[in-house]
Amino acid sequence: MTRARPTTDDVRPQTRWRTAATIAASAAVTVAMTMTGAGAAIAAQPSAPPTPVTRAAISPALSEGRGAAVNFVEQEAENAVTTGMAVGPDRTAYSLAAEASGRQAVRLTGGQYVEFTLPKAANAISVRYSIPDAATGGGITSPLTVSVNGGGARTMNLTSKYSWLYNQYPFSNDPNAGLLHADWWITECGCVPAATTPTPVISTPFRPMHFYDEQRLLLGRTYRAGDTVRLTMPANAAAAWTIVDLLDSQQVGLPTVKLLASNVLAFGADPFGKRDSADAFDKAIAFAKRHHLTVYVPPGVYTVDRHIIVDDVTIQGAGNWYTVIRGDEVALATPAADGSVHTGVGFYGKDAADGGSRNVHLSGFTIRGDVRERIDTDQVNGIGGALSDSTIDGLYIQHTKVGIWLDGPMDGLKVSNTTIVDQIADGVNFHTGVTNSSVSNSFIRNTGDDGLAMWSEGTADANNVFDHNTVQTPTLANGIAIYGGTDNTVSNNLVADPIREGSGLHVGSRFGATAFTGSLDIADNTTVRAGTYELNWNIGLGAIWFFALEKNIDADIEVTGDHYLDSTYNAIMVVADWPVKDLYSVTNLHFRDVQVDGTGTSVLSARAAGSATFDNVDARNVGAVGVNNCGTFHFTPAGSEFSLSGSGNDGGGTTGPWFASWELPNTITCDDRPPVVAPPAPSPWIQP
């Protein structure tokens, strides 16, 4: 998603911006402490206790039935046995802790280890990690030794060449670069540098981010529950330190074999990746279409340095652990018609303007790109174009710009059981007129923009569903975002650890999107450690937030059964941009059967005109007044311009019931930046 530039008067009185420099100073200190290894030592233990299994760094019981049902188990490094140092917990943007799952990790130096006890049989692992950047950018490589039960040492060659972005949007790989946009307002000085005298000095690296990457390893045999996996940083490693965030372990089955098929090897594909296999894929696809066969891609690593155009074809790999289709990012001699200045590996349907593609089915392989910078005009996504009446199942997509970016109009795509990690921008984006399509049971981690998005730019997305997905640690923007559209659904998802300029769930009238019409159903989702701090606005967001920037938000929006756990600031926010706060409002918003377990500030922060109903919304461990109602900041004798109604709402926190009668229907309770009271960790909800 192309981000809008920040302005100085977005959502609140301009006089409130002047304290922003203190936030920047805090962030800088946190980055410095994390990168130099400050933190408490975690004592090594004489024997290996079971390493807890988590989902989004909480007990699986707290998100039961929500999120993707994945075939791996997650174990956090901070819960394992280690001789390393603690990183975090900390939620301050631009810090290694904030981008870690659960906002905690473990820092190793030469000779130190972290050791996990397997909870079930496994023959494969994934390690999420961070190592330093090169002094001038571009990354380094450094080894990590993997041993099981003290033997069979193997080496993972970690890299930071896909990590470490800096500066303002659309970011830079250069840690020493000056401001990309000196005419933008920035938090660090609470000013527009180019319009400020004397010109402020901005330290470098400026706004480091996108620290983490992950790597997979087949262990060569199956190990039992109770066996121990030790990750050791060698004493002679190139990196000064290695951060281990978590370990995913799983039992990978045998590769899938398909004999009656159009096998890419028969057309000259190289399974060792030494030669480009793009032409061989094209020939296999053409043969398969003539003879009504599936294209089969056997185990191997295949180099493909351009798009493979797909239409009316099925392409099946041996499984995403076995079939890897990788490619370099290639500079084009002249820009393409769509504005791209690079190409790279990707499976693309035909452009919607040319009728799009239909009946495409992709399954059982990995797409691994080589994208290290964000250029919004580049089509260097894992999957792109228009794909109607098609399926994407069981893929693993890494190091592309966007995992799956679809440009409609198109209809009837189903994405399922797919893992998307380490993207420069979005995980999945349904862009412009995508209808009757879905993403389900998929896992998205470490995106550089929205994890899942429906963006109705110019033409409405309609009748789409995001269901039973897990989205973790988007480094920018939101876990799941809906920008305009008609009759869409977001249900049964698990979203954790958004970092900045967004939060867990988002409904926004912005980016040129069509108006919301019909209904939007948001049901049975769980957010964890959302409700971020918006550094440009210098205020806390909600775990779910509604933003009226370009139009009213007045469709029927039903939020039912959601759980908002451990929200850093608010659970719910309704906000209008400051310049248009008297033009646009948020109405017809309904919350029912919602649980709020822990907020640093309020259950609801209202900073717009409009209204909402709340029925059976229960809250506990609320850090500030339950309803922080600023309306449109006119503070009229008649009360706030935002009103509330409802019944059956229980619980509260430090100031009493969150939905107190004295707050209704529109009492002004505005505190622009209430003190934060960190809540206790979420726990099972005991019904009376």
Side-chain angles (χ1 to χ4, degrees):
M1 176 76 58
T2 301
R3 313 310 305 175
R5 57 172 282 182
T7 62
T8 58
D9 55 357
D10 278 331
V11 295
R12 64 194 183 288
Q14 295 179 32
T15 56
R16 299 290 190 172
W17 286 90
R18 299 185 182 274
T19 61
T22 60
I23 304 300
S26 173
V29 170
T30 303
V31 171
M33 289 179 63
T34 306
M35 294 179 67
T36 57
I42 303 174
Q45 299 184 28
S47 61
T51 311
V53 172
T54 57
R55 295 182 73 220
I58 59 172
S59 166
L62 296 177
S63 62
E64 188 173 358
R66 302 178 180 200
V70 295
N71 53 10
F72 57 82
V73 291
E74 169 194 283
Q75 294 172 292
E76 294 283 336
E78 63 269 19
N79 297 330
V81 174
T82 186
T83 56
M85 305 285 285
V87 174
D90 191 351
R91 305 187 191 188
T92 308
Y94 315 126
S95 71
L96 283 156
E99 290 191 19
S101 173
R103 316 301 181 116
Q104 299 181 78
V106 168
R107 180 185 187 272
L108 306 178
T109 55
Q112 293 181 330
Y113 66 84
V114 58
E115 184 173 271
F116 302 83
T117 303
L118 293 175
K120 56 194 302 187
N123 62 1
I125 60 172
S126 296
V127 178
R128 187 169 193 254
Y129 68 89
S130 178
I131 60 174
D133 196 4
T136 57
I140 64 172
T141 59
S142 188
L144 183 70
T145 301
V146 180
S147 58
V148 185
N149 298 331
R154 307 180 67 176
T155 299
M156 297 178 103
N157 291 309
L158 308 183
T159 181
S160 55
K161 68 182 180 180
Y162 299 107
S163 310
W164 294 94
L165 296 177
Y166 308 90
N167 223 297
Q168 298 155 293
Y169 175 90
F171 316 117
S172 169
N173 300 112
D174 182 0
N176 304 307
L179 292 176
L180 295 181
H181 307 284
D183 59 337
W184 286 13
W185 187 95
I186 61 171
T187 307
E188 286 73 9
C189 67
C191 70
V192 177
T196 302
T197 303
T199 302
V201 176
I202 304 302
S203 62
T204 58
F206 182 60
R207 295 182 177 178
M209 61 173 287
H210 207 66
F211 304 112
Y212 288 86
D213 202 5
E214 59 187 75
Q215 195 171 127
R216 296 169 125 191
L217 178 68
L218 286 167
L219 298 174
R221 53 159 287 193
T222 295
Y223 292 92
R224 300 171 298 177
D227 288 344
T228 56
V229 176
R230 177 175 291 191
L231 309 178
T232 303
M233 181 177 170
N236 61 349
W241 46 260
T242 297
I243 304 289
V244 178
D245 183 22
L246 56 79
L247 180 87
D248 293 332
S249 60
Q250 68 182 96
Q251 182 69 31
V252 176
L254 295 173
T256 299
V257 177
K258 193 168 183 66
L259 298 178
L260 183 60
S262 178
N263 191 316
V264 297
L265 297 180
F267 298 90
D270 175 12
F272 302 102
K274 296 180 180 180
R275 293 180 287 104
D276 192 294
S277 295
D279 290 347
F281 273 70
D282 288 344
K283 292 173 184 176
I285 289 170
F287 184 85
K289 292 173 71 171
R290 286 196 304 271
H291 297 281
H292 308 290
L293 294 172
T294 293
V295 174
Y296 175 62
V297 189
V301 177
Y302 302 84
T303 295
V304 173
D305 287 338
R306 61 168 172 84
H307 298 170
I308 301 297
I309 305 303
V310 289
D311 184 25
D312 191 25
V313 67
T314 297
I315 302 177
Q316 179 180 346
N320 64 48
W321 280 84
Y322 299 110
T323 299
V324 177
I325 302 167
R326 62 155 303 274
D328 294 328
E329 186 177 74
V330 179
L332 299 174
T334 57
D338 60 12
S340 294
V341 294
H342 297 90
T343 189
V345 63
F347 290 79
Y348 273 65
K350 295 186 295 185
D351 192 276
D354 299 321
S357 292
R358 278 184 158 72
N359 194 33
V360 174
H361 306 283
L362 308 175
S363 66
F365 56 88
T366 284
I367 301 171
R368 181 168 291 132
D370 187 40
V371 179
R372 310 179 201 183
E373 59 186 338
R374 178 162 178 165
I375 301 174
D376 281 331
T377 56
D378 269 358
Q379 286 285 348
V380 286
N381 307 314
I383 296 174
L387 297 171
S388 294
D389 303 321
S390 297
T391 60
I392 298 166
D393 183 73
L395 299 192
Y396 181 92
I397 306 176
Q398 186 181 32
H399 297 155
T400 57
K401 186 180 80 172
V402 175
I404 302 173
W405 180 286
L406 289 313
D407 290 301
M410 52 167 279
D411 182 81
L413 172 72
K414 297 185 184 305
V415 179
S416 58
N417 309 310
T418 287
T419 297
I420 300 172
V421 297
D422 304 328
Q423 300 296 303
I424 288 291
D426 305 47
V428 179
N429 195 308
F430 286 176
H431 177 231
T432 305
V434 177
T435 57
N436 299 302
S437 296
S438 64
V439 180
S440 64
N441 205 57
S442 292
F443 183 88
I444 295 93
R445 182 163 62 200
N446 196 36
T447 59
D449 213 308
D450 295 322
L452 296 172
M454 300 183 202
W455 182 15
S456 297
E457 186 182 28
T459 304
D461 291 338
N463 300 305
N464 300 313
V465 176
F466 290 159
D467 180 71
H468 278 100
N469 304 290
T470 297
V471 181
Q472 291 182 239
T473 60
T475 62
L476 178 74
N478 306 280
I480 301 177
I482 311 297
Y483 304 109
T486 302
D487 297 336
N488 295 304
T489 298
V490 177
S491 56
N492 300 292
N493 301 288
L494 173 61
V495 178
D497 296 317
I499 314 298
R500 66 184 182 97
E501 296 181 42
S503 194
L505 305 173
H506 179 47
V507 176
S509 169
R510 53 196 305 206
F511 303 125
T514 64
F516 287 95
T517 59
S519 65
L520 174 61
D521 291 328
I522 301 173
D524 300 322
N525 304 284
T526 293
T527 67
V528 187
R529 296 175 300 274
T532 63
Y533 202 78
E534 217 311 325
L535 291 167
N536 292 312
W537 292 347
N538 199 19
I539 59 173
L541 299 182
I544 183 171
W545 65 298
F546 303 81
F547 183 24
L549 174 62
E550 297 171 350
K551 299 177 178 68
N552 291 327
I553 298 178
D554 54 11
D556 179 20
I557 300 179
E558 303 283 340
V559 182
T560 308
D562 275 9
H563 296 167
Y564 307 127
L565 310 182
D566 193 3
S567 301
T568 309
Y569 289 89
N570 309 289
I572 302 163
M573 171 177 269
V574 178
V575 60
D577 200 24
W578 184 262
V580 297
K581 64 185 177 61
D582 298 319
L583 298 178
Y584 304 134
S585 62
V586 180
T587 57
N588 210 13
L589 181 58
H590 309 285
F591 293 85
R592 186 174 68 255
D593 302 330
V594 169
Q595 292 178 356
V596 175
D597 189 356
T599 69
T601 53
S602 299
V603 174
L604 169 68
S605 177
R607 307 172 71 92
S611 62
T613 64
F614 296 83
D615 294 289
N616 299 320
V617 176
D618 296 341
R620 65 186 183 188
N621 302 316
V622 178
V625 63
V627 179
N628 187 9
N629 196 339
C630 297
T632 58
F633 293 90
H634 289 296
F635 307 124
T636 71
S640 168
E641 298 83 359
F642 193 89
S643 62
L644 301 83
S645 62
S647 62
N649 303 297
D650 297 324
T654 59
T655 65
W658 87 265
F659 201 79
S661 58
W662 65 269
E663 297 172 317
L664 309 178
N666 63 334
T667 303
I668 297 170
T669 57
C670 188
D671 185 344
D672 208 27
R673 294 177 187 85
V676 174
V677 178
S683 59
W685 198 283
I686 307 299
Q687 296 294 343

